[in-house]
Amino acid sequence: MKAKPQLHGLPSYKPGKPIEEVKRELGLTKVVKLASNENPYGSSPKAAKAIQDAAAQTAIYPDGYAAMIREKVATKIGVDENQLIFGNGSDEVIQFLCRAFLSPETNTVTADPTFSQYKLNATIEGAEVREVPSVDGVHDLDAMLEAIDEQTRIVWVCNPNNPSGTYVNEAAFTNFLERVPSHVLVVSDEAYYEYVTAKDYPETLPLLKKYNNLMILRTFSKAYGLAALRIGYGVGNPDLISLIDPVRPPFNNTTFAHVAASAALDDDQFIADCVEKNTAALKQFEQFCENHNLTYYPSQTNFILIDFNRSGDEVFDLLLKKGFIVRSGQALGFPTCVRITVGTEEENKELFAVLEEILHSNKVGQ
């Protein structure tokens, strides 16, 4: 059998270790997962009730048009319904875009490091991937602009960026958008949008009226706490949406995802509470780093990237043995860093105690 040549040697996505597996391997009774940037407070109770109410509908295909959630999202963010496309997580919308626009004759431009799925999906389509080094974890938009040519089809702006947590401000983004050629699609991936508190973060939705080549990605997997249901969406010009929609598989979202996301949108207070707790906890992480002379990347997300000045894998292993699953920066483009999801107050307190123990044992840092 002969597969696409670009698939040979292509790495699979490796998620954080499951809690039960770590318990079994290390003989631990308690394990805290702070690896995948999930909401430690779960999801709105309204979402859980909506799933329960829909439990009897498992024999019926979901609405392929996603009418319920389409109407809810359109009203919530102030766009027309025909400006939306829904995916099995925003990851799937990334896949739609790569399949629709990229081929072996084309190229795509990304920051480096950034979210791995841009490069992975572009590589599968056979496109050239032009990776532009970031500066202090922030996209170098001027250099990314220089990397664009006639064969460029998509440029990705992960904002805030994963895995650094940093962001591109409004002035930089609008200036960049103004200069990108009209034949190039600019994708603003805003998976952590709800967590952002920076006042100069770009509000991209109004820009859709001026730029037909702008696509915005958002998800229900992070702040809304619906990662298990896999639902995200893209927002763009109606012509762009109609162009890529044939790539979307039929019934690609479950009924449970539709009803839970719709209900979650009705609970603004839940999101506000989660954001408030996350913002306060991030300040505690930053203070911890400053108290111990650890470099960190200022974050506008629900995670923080900390430089321990040692192999990220080593720090990962030390924390794992203590019952904390985090993400080593080794595979994320930051080899001496560890990315840690912000947990609950109790989880963070326990983590700080373990980190204190590790630091004082002279195994890491300083």
Side-chain angles (χ1 to χ4, degrees), residues 113-172:
T114 193
F115 187 45
S116 62
Q117 294 303 290
Y118 313 141
K119 181 177 181 178
L120 175 70
N121 283 288
T123 301
I124 290 171
E125 299 304 327
E128 177 193 355
V129 181
R130 298 182 175 180
E131 298 176 278
V132 178
S134 297
V135 179
D136 296 326
V138 181
H139 290 38
D140 185 344
L141 295 184
D142 288 336
M144 290 174 71
L145 189 69
E146 290 179 7
I148 294 172
D149 63 20
E150 285 301 314
Q151 302 310 313
T152 305
R153 295 294 177 267
I154 306 175
V155 58
W156 308 89
V157 180
C158 189
N159 203 24
N161 189 36
N162 179 12
S164 63
T166 55
Y167 74 105
V168 169
N169 65 35
E170 182 175 19

Side-chain angles (χ1 to χ4, degrees), residues 188-205:
S188 181
D189 188 346
E190 303 174 3
Y192 298 91
Y193 172 81
E194 289 79 11
Y195 286 114
V196 174
T197 58
K199 302 212 180 300
D200 60 346
Y201 179 82
E203 283 298 340
T204 49
L205 288 169

Side-chain angles (χ1 to χ4, degrees), residues 46-48 50-51 68 220 226 229 255-265:
K46 294 182 179 181
I51 294 172
M68 174 192 295
F220 287 94
L226 299 177
L229 297 180
T255 297
F256 294 149
H258 288 165
V259 299
S262 297
L265 284 173

